[in-house]
Amino acid sequence: MMSADSNSWQETWMDALLDAQTETDIFRIMCTAARELGFDHCAYGLRTALPLSNPKTHLLNNYSSSWQQRYAEQNYLVVDPTVAHAMSSIAPLVWNDQVFMNCGAFWEDARAHGLNVGWAQASYDSKGNAGLLTLARSHDSLTPAELRDHGYKMAWLAQASHARLSCLILASQAADTQASLTTREIEILRWTADGKTSGEVSQILQISERTVNFHVQNSMDKLGVSNKTAAVIKAAMLRLL
């Protein structure tokens, strides 16, 4: 059970995050909270759920400029095991030699830039967009006592930061994420997702096949896709079905 002091800590930082109106201000608040928790560095990465063929990645961090440049030049995003972990789990991850055992050069390079101790946790929103918060420092290993005392605050910061930043960063996708389907369109796309043809759906719903196709086309237009398979996938990813 969290103490009254814990609730006060969360309320203080939530108020600060909600008051911030720009990406820069929100991230500055995250970095301040990270320092209060004992970390020098803070990084946030967002991976969009759509488009499936080419999801976009948005990165924010206060690492040294030399590490930022090195990370980009070596395309470390592809081999970073914390990123791979985030794609399959929301469990917190503490950096150690075992985590980086398959990418020794990357781990050695990170430590050469003063990144010796770290913690990371992923978050997912209702639209399937993934966020990853990483807290790091150059010294003092993360002890069980520190994780016991501050772990829930770190996890809360990961969730709250993702909720606030993803909403702001993805504002340009608002038209897609706010697509509204009718009850009939949703019903037809659900049967389509189960592998039913237009003819089979017409028999199940006791409407004409032409009417089924009419609703499918409307769904495609609203979702901005070119075929019904894409409509089903996108509607499912947007949690519309």
Side-chain angles (χ1 to χ4, degrees), residues 106-141:
F106 167 61
W107 182 218
E108 183 178 347
D109 209 353
R111 287 183 293 183
H113 284 82
L115 301 173
N116 299 300
V117 180
W119 173 98
Q121 184 163 2
S123 302
Y124 286 82
D125 59 30
S126 62
K127 305 301 183 184
N129 301 301
L132 176 64
L133 176 69
T134 300
L135 306 176
R137 63 193 183 209
S138 61
H139 59 281
D140 297 336
S141 298

Side-chain angles (χ1 to χ4, degrees), residues 156-199:
W156 177 88
L157 184 62
Q159 297 287 340
S161 299
H162 178 59
R164 194 73 183 90
L165 270 176
S166 64
C167 181
L168 191 65
I169 293 172
L170 297 171
S172 61
Q173 296 183 3
D176 280 347
T177 59
Q178 294 175 6
S180 177
L181 301 179
T182 66
T183 300
R184 180 63 90 184
E185 289 164 353
I186 292 172
E187 188 177 28
I188 289 173
L189 287 184
R190 282 175 175 167
W191 282 114
T192 302
D194 284 340
K196 303 298 183 183
T197 65
S198 294

Side-chain angles (χ1 to χ4, degrees), residues 20-35:
Q21 298 302 312
T22 68
E23 181 181 311
T24 299
D25 288 342
I26 292 171
F27 186 66
R28 182 170 60 247
I29 290 167
M30 292 165 58
C31 291
T32 303
R35 283 193 294 272

Side-chain angles (χ1 to χ4, degrees), residues 68-130:
Q68 292 183 45
Q69 181 177 351
R70 181 68 173 172
Y71 195 93
E73 288 176 347
Q74 297 299 313
N75 198 22
Y76 279 148
L77 184 66
V78 175
V79 301
D80 191 335
T82 66
V83 174
H85 175 82
M87 292 298 100
S88 61
S89 175
I90 59 171
L93 181 71
V94 177
W95 294 2
N96 56 49
D97 290 338
Q98 185 175 0
V99 169
F100 296 94
M101 64 182 299
N102 294 321
C103 50
F106 167 61
W107 182 218
E108 183 178 347
D109 209 353
R111 287 183 293 183
H113 284 82
L115 301 173
N116 299 300
V117 180
W119 173 98
Q121 184 163 2
S123 302
Y124 286 82
D125 59 30
S126 62
K127 305 301 183 184
N129 301 301

Side-chain angles (χ1 to χ4, degrees), residues 143-232:
T143 65
E146 183 178 0
L147 289 172
R148 183 179 61 249
D149 293 341
H150 296 308
Y152 66 89
K153 292 181 179 179
M154 293 151 63
W156 177 88
L157 184 62
Q159 297 287 340
S161 299
H162 178 59
R164 194 73 183 90
L165 270 176
S166 64
C167 181
L168 191 65
I169 293 172
L170 297 171
S172 61
Q173 296 183 3
D176 280 347
T177 59
Q178 294 175 6
S180 177
L181 301 179
T182 66
T183 300
R184 180 63 90 184
E185 289 164 353
I186 292 172
E187 188 177 28
I188 289 173
L189 287 184
R190 282 175 175 167
W191 282 114
T192 302
D194 284 340
K196 303 298 183 183
T197 65
S198 294
E200 291 171 330
V201 174
S202 72
Q203 292 177 13
I204 293 169
L205 300 181
Q206 297 185 332
I207 58 178
S208 71
E209 186 172 347
R210 182 178 180 179
T211 299
V212 171
N213 290 331
F214 170 79
H215 287 300
V216 169
Q217 185 62 55
N218 279 347
S219 301
M220 289 163 51
D221 292 341
K222 290 179 178 180
L223 294 166
V225 297
S226 59
N227 58 65
K228 67 180 182 181
T229 299
V232 167

